[in-house]
Amino acid sequence: MARARVSMQELIRRRRRAGFVGRREELRVFRANFEVPPDDDRHRFLFHVHGPAGVGKTSLVRELAQLARERGALVAHVDEGAAGIPGTVTELAAHFAQQGRTLKHLERALATYRQRSHEAVAAAVREPGPGPDAPSMGSAVAARAGVVGLGMVPVVGAFAGVVDADRLARGADRLRSRFRTQDDARLVLEPERVLTPVLLDELAEAADTAPWLALFFDTYERTAPFLDRWLHDMMTTDRYGELPANVVVVTAGQRPLDPARWEGAADFAAELPLRPFTDAEARALLAAKGVTEEPVVAEVLRLSGRLPVLVSTLAESGPADPDDVGDPSATAVERFLKAEQDPARRAAALACALPRRLDEEVVRTSTDEDAEGAEGGESPAELYGWLRTMPFVRTDRAGAARYHGVVRAPMLRLRRNSAPERWSSGHTRLAELYRRRCAALEEEDRGEPGRPWTRPAWRAVRVEELYHRLCARPRAALPGVLREGVDACRADTAVARAWAQAVADAADDTDAGHLRAWADDCRAALADEATGALRVLELLLTRAALDDAGRAAAHNAHGLQLFLLGRLREALDDHARAIALAPDDPWGHHDLAVTHRALGEYESALVALAEAAELAPGAAWVARQRGETYRRMGRPEEALPWLERAHELDPGEPLTLGSLGQSKFALGRPHEALADLDRALALWPDYAWALTRRARVRHHLGDGPGALADLDRAQRLAPDVAGTRGERGDVLRAAGRHEEAVAEYESALALDPAYAWAWGSRALSLEALGRPAEALASLEEALRVDPGYAWAREQRERIRGIPEPNIP
């Protein structure tokens, strides 16, 4: 008989469950809740597991999730790996999909979110110049939380691609009316407000197909800063819509629920505080691991304090005698190391506690000093493999290995207090390893403008380097780390939070009071998602001993954050201060120029760019920004030489080619424009803006099918861009397909009711269909949206002069 096929992962899960002991009351309460209908006052919608590190929260969460599955629930799990609300929603969707329930509408919304953010970042990293006809896909939609939530807002040339400056100055209701929708803006600026209602709708549909939905949020002490308010609002208000009644939420963290936020939650929430094992539970775990001799059991219980992770760790080596557990004067960690007979492994276990994350190369670097002179020992790969089998080494969802905090903390104290020189040298070696990794990533990114804090891969490595530098020399390294904080804050609040976490972890692991003060103040400032980075920059400007260059960078970063909040005049002040501190920094002049341009002060912008050109002669970005400024002034003949110069300096830049194509089209050179746009799309095939612009050129040249093909592709890349639908309407109208044209214009207006141009174009098709009254109404709406729309006013007066058709 053929055996049923079972995966390795499933067998591992079964073994873990078989080894789970204790927590019977918590399991009983959770299990019983599924027997109580949601409309019964005894039913609980939220369970919050909390307790100190090492008490077994994650293990219990796994058991609760399995119980939920046994009750037929669809289960989703999120931990500290999720980046903000979009990352959380992405994780939830992925887990449902793995169980055969695809959240199609949510996945589409997430795909649109990622596309919009990618377009904004790609355009901004290449320093586009925004404007009503800018080839940048960044526009104002990249201004705040959405793109920065991905940690990708660029910090060199950032302003140029982040905000559609002309329209920002004229008011938010007219931003991106040509190329973006209000929904697009909300999606990227405030993703939780757009994604959460879609999530709730999808959960409502899923709730009709399963008896229960169970959502688990582990390591809540890390994610609560951005999840707690969101979860509370989702569960207790109708801000985002209605949450199905058969949803059960489980959170697990070190602290109880915030009483200020969750006051009055006792009627729908249950707290599950975890404490160390009872005597019986600890003995059951030891027995499961073969430790039954009473003297040994008693010693393990005494040393571990019945904390589950330590009970498991001390039992792992199978001690047969109390002396195998260790000398009563030593710590539990020392006893564990003493129980391991191989001295190389004991040394490796202690040395590898220093890094926050483990991989083979990190193990090699950590054990270099201990391995000197050793022959015939295990290789770093073998040591790494052994460490991953240890009960105190955890593997996160991304596959990274790390020590459990309860075991790592005393190991760190032991190394720091007993061998301070080895502590310092070990952290220094690790810092150098991460510095080399940063340099390698920077080499890969050569030619990409923007400081690397905006790149997630580089950032993940950099925070490890800073952590180890602080651990090696807490006072000496702090000024440099604070200077790095300026660049992290310039990126966004989420990036600043990762930097601040490195400082906080170093404060914990070195017990350095001056680090703790900085960490506490920065984390308090970062509690506000919208203004957190701004507040930390104010701390750095007030308290950090920055040199003039550092203060200039901080003022520029502070100015960027003000700019993204729409406080442009205040941003100008910051950039002026930055230039006074570091007059030779060309990027200070660049930031000043872009802020002037956002205010419509084009001449001042050109003066600032001239200063930047003096400091960075021959820089492609200077030529491009000058060209973009002239283009946005409506002077394409003056834009063209600068854009051609930028192209000569950097021929592989697709956005420069897009700008060139746009300027040449404005100058009546459509064939050359088409060639430039073709080259731009050859370099960047998914450049949706260029596809739309090329469609316009093709339409002008009489290639209607080619124009529609470009627009179809642009729409697939960015399904909800009103401008693409408006362009389709134009092509259809020119072909005499007025009914279809009206449908396209109306689709565009459904996405962006402030799209004045679509209102006006719709009127022409309505007129052609013999519906002048509706055409006049459409023109009236165009003028209501944009009172300065002269063309619409002319068309309105023209149609008013036409007699009504005599319809029998």
Side-chain angles (χ1 to χ4, degrees):
M1 180 183 295
R3 278 196 257 173
R5 192 169 182 179
V6 180
S7 71
M8 179 189 300
Q9 293 91 334
E10 177 59 26
L11 291 174
I12 291 172
R13 282 193 291 269
R14 290 179 186 177
R15 291 180 187 179
R16 284 176 175 170
R17 291 203 73 215
F20 185 83
V21 299
R23 308 310 185 197
R24 299 304 171 196
E25 178 59 18
E26 290 83 359
L27 293 171
R28 183 196 68 76
V29 169
F30 188 71
R31 184 186 299 111
N33 195 61
F34 289 109
E35 306 302 325
V36 180
D39 58 359
D40 189 314
D41 288 347
R42 295 172 298 163
H43 182 81
R44 291 295 175 263
F45 299 102
L46 171 66
F47 289 86
H48 181 60
V49 179
H50 60 90
V55 81
K57 298 183 293 297
T58 296
S59 297
L60 177 59
V61 163
R62 282 198 297 262
E63 289 299 305
L64 297 179
Q66 184 59 34
L67 279 179
R69 291 188 188 95
E70 292 170 358
R71 294 302 184 275
L74 291 171
V75 174
H77 180 276
V78 176
D79 60 19
E80 62 187 301
I85 302 301
T88 298
V89 173
T90 299
E91 285 291 310
L92 294 175
H95 279 264
F96 279 107
Q98 289 167 8
Q99 297 163 84
R101 178 72 198 188
T102 302
L103 308 185
K104 294 181 181 178
H105 296 295
L106 180 60
E107 289 188 354
R108 180 180 177 185
L110 285 165
T112 301
Y113 169 75
R114 287 189 289 268
Q115 177 68 27
R116 295 296 183 278
S117 301
H118 171 77
E119 290 167 351
V121 170
V125 166
R126 293 177 171 89
E127 302 138 9
D133 282 328
S136 163
M137 296 303 291
S139 190
V141 296
R144 285 185 57 208
V147 172
V148 300
L150 295 178
M152 296 191 297
V153 169
V155 288
V156 172
F159 295 164
V162 172
V163 176
D164 185 336
D166 290 338
R167 298 188 180 191
L168 179 62
R170 293 202 299 267
D173 60 330
R174 298 179 60 195
L175 289 178
R176 304 167 319 282
S177 65
R178 185 64 183 84
F179 300 112
R180 280 291 184 266
T181 71
Q182 297 301 320
D183 285 346
D184 283 345
R186 285 191 296 271
L187 177 61
V188 183
L189 298 178
E190 299 178 288
E192 75 281 1
R193 295 203 175 191
V194 178
L195 295 174
T196 308
V198 182
L199 170 65
L200 295 185
D201 287 345
E202 293 277 26
L203 292 180
E205 291 186 18
D208 292 335
T209 67
W212 300 98
L213 308 180
L215 311 180
F216 291 83
F217 300 89
D218 200 3
T219 56
Y220 202 60
E221 68 275 6
R222 297 270 186 168
T223 58
F226 60 86
L227 280 185
D228 200 48
R229 178 189 59 79
W230 179 70
L231 270 180
H232 178 270
D233 289 350
M234 192 163 57
M235 295 185 71
T236 65
T237 75
D238 59 0
R239 176 172 300 172
Y240 304 117
E242 295 183 347
L243 191 64
N246 59 341
V247 171
V248 175
V249 175
V250 178
T251 54
Q254 294 184 9
R255 294 175 288 277
L257 289 172
D258 180 354
R261 175 166 288 141
W262 294 92
E263 183 181 8
D267 58 346
F268 67 86
E271 300 239 13
L272 299 179
L274 295 190
R275 297 176 178 84
F277 274 161
T278 65
D279 187 89
E281 290 171 333
R283 288 174 179 274
L285 176 57
L286 290 171
K289 292 183 176 293
V291 180
T292 57
E293 293 295 324
E294 182 55 32
V296 178
V297 169
E299 183 68 357
V300 170
L301 295 182
R302 185 180 71 82
L303 294 172
S304 67
R306 302 196 307 276
L307 201 61
V309 69
L310 289 182
V311 174
S312 179
T313 296
L314 293 172
E316 194 65 28
S317 61
D321 184 272
D323 288 340
D324 292 339
V325 184
D327 181 353
S329 66
T331 67
V333 172
E334 289 176 280
R335 288 175 172 79
F336 162 70
L337 296 177
K338 187 174 181 179
E340 171 55 58
Q341 297 303 306
D342 185 337
R345 285 186 169 183
R346 290 201 306 271
L350 191 57
C352 290
L354 267 61
R356 298 194 300 178
R357 299 287 186 272
L358 291 174
D359 60 42
E360 185 179 325
E361 192 175 13
V362 167
V363 169
R364 181 192 306 277
T365 303
S366 300
T367 58
D368 269 355
E369 189 174 61
D370 297 300
E372 287 179 5
E375 295 183 5
E378 290 180 292
S379 69
E382 291 168 325
L383 286 173
Y384 178 52
W386 167 72
L387 281 170
R388 291 186 68 131
T389 68
M390 293 294 97
F392 58 83
V393 175
R394 304 168 60 182
T395 301
D396 62 24
R397 294 174 54 79
R402 57 190 175 91
Y403 279 34
H404 195 295
V406 169
V407 173
R408 181 173 179 260
M411 284 186 172
L412 291 175
R413 285 196 298 271
L414 177 64
R415 175 71 78 158
R416 189 180 76 238
N417 294 331
S418 64
E421 290 187 7
R422 298 179 77 186
W423 162 274
S424 182
S425 63
H427 279 295
T428 298
R429 289 197 310 274
L430 287 163
E432 284 301 304
L433 168 65
Y434 284 111
R435 183 194 62 76
R436 292 192 298 273
R437 289 183 175 181
C438 284
L441 289 169
E442 290 166 13
E443 182 66 23
E444 290 176 10
D445 288 338
R446 283 182 64 184
E448 287 286 332
R451 290 175 187 153
W453 274 102
T454 64
R455 304 183 191 118
W458 184 94
R459 182 170 66 246
V461 176
R462 186 62 161 174
V463 294
E464 298 304 322
E465 179 191 348
L466 298 182
Y467 164 78
H468 287 295
R469 293 208 182 281
L470 285 171
C471 287
R473 302 177 66 198
R475 288 202 176 275
L478 181 61
V481 172
L482 295 178
R483 172 62 185 84
E484 292 281 342
V486 170
D487 292 339
C489 289
R490 175 160 181 149
D492 67 76
T493 294
V495 174
R497 195 175 284 132
W499 165 81
Q501 189 62 54
V503 178
D505 286 352
D508 290 340
D509 296 340
T510 61
D511 199 26
H514 69 293
L515 294 185
R516 169 56 51 210
W518 271 105
D520 290 347
D521 290 345
C522 287
R523 287 199 295 192
L526 289 165
D528 188 308
E529 192 73 31
T531 62
L534 188 75
R535 293 176 60 195
V536 174
L537 285 164
E538 288 164 359
L539 283 175
L540 293 169
L541 282 165
T542 303
R543 290 170 37 188
L546 300 171
D547 61 14
D548 283 352
R551 291 187 65 78
H555 276 297
N556 271 328
H558 193 261
L560 171 61
Q561 295 301 322
L562 291 171
F563 185 99
L564 299 180
L565 292 168
R567 295 159 61 180
L568 302 185
R569 289 292 173 194
E570 295 173 76
L572 277 181
D573 292 341
D574 263 313
H575 299 315
R577 291 191 187 100
I579 290 172
L581 288 163
D584 294 335
D585 178 9
W587 288 106
H589 296 279
H590 166 273
D591 292 351
L592 181 66
V594 175
T595 308
H596 276 304
R597 195 165 63 193
L599 290 163
E601 299 168 356
Y602 297 112
E603 296 299 336
S604 296
L606 289 171
V607 169
L609 285 170
E611 293 288 342
E614 290 289 328
L615 298 166
W621 65 265
V622 175
R624 174 168 174 75
Q625 294 292 10
R626 279 177 152 172
E628 287 295 301
T629 302
Y630 282 118
R631 182 196 56 74
R632 293 197 332 185
M633 295 169 75
R635 292 153 64 174
E637 68 285 350
E638 292 174 84
L640 198 60
W642 290 112
L643 293 171
E644 289 173 338
R645 173 62 175 155
H647 179 57
E648 290 172 7
L649 293 167
D650 186 4
E653 173 52 71
L655 292 177
T656 301
L657 285 164
S659 296
L660 276 169
Q662 175 185 328
S663 296
K664 289 175 182 177
F665 185 59
L667 290 168
R669 296 155 61 179
H671 292 285
E672 294 174 64
L674 182 61
D676 284 335
L677 289 164
D678 285 345
R679 286 195 289 270
L681 285 161
L683 290 166
W684 184 9
D686 292 341
Y687 190 0
W689 181 91
L691 285 166
T692 304
R693 304 311 291 173
R694 188 171 70 176
R696 180 177 291 184
V697 176
R698 283 179 162 176
H699 177 208
H700 175 82
L701 294 172
D703 181 9
L708 288 174
D710 276 349
L711 292 168
D712 287 343
R713 187 172 163 206
Q715 192 163 322
R716 284 194 298 272
L717 288 168
D720 300 321
V721 174
T724 305
R725 296 177 186 268
E727 294 285 353
R728 283 182 59 83
D730 263 8
V731 176
L732 293 167
R733 177 168 58 83
R737 297 159 61 178
H738 293 291
E739 293 283 5
E740 295 172 78
V742 169
E744 288 291 349
Y745 292 133
E746 289 176 352
S747 295
L749 291 165
L751 292 166
D752 185 2
Y755 192 174
W757 178 82
W759 284 112
S761 298
R762 174 177 177 268
L764 296 184
S765 281
L766 289 169
E767 180 190 12
L769 291 168
R771 295 152 63 180
E774 293 175 70
L776 282 171
S778 196
L779 289 165
E780 293 287 1
E781 187 62 24
L783 288 165
R784 186 191 68 79
V785 170
D786 184 358
Y789 197 174
W791 177 90
R793 182 170 291 103
E794 292 169 3
Q795 295 302 312
R796 181 185 65 180
E797 297 310 311
R798 180 184 62 79
I799 294 175
R800 279 177 174 174
I802 299 175
E804 289 286 333
N806 185 16
I807 300 175

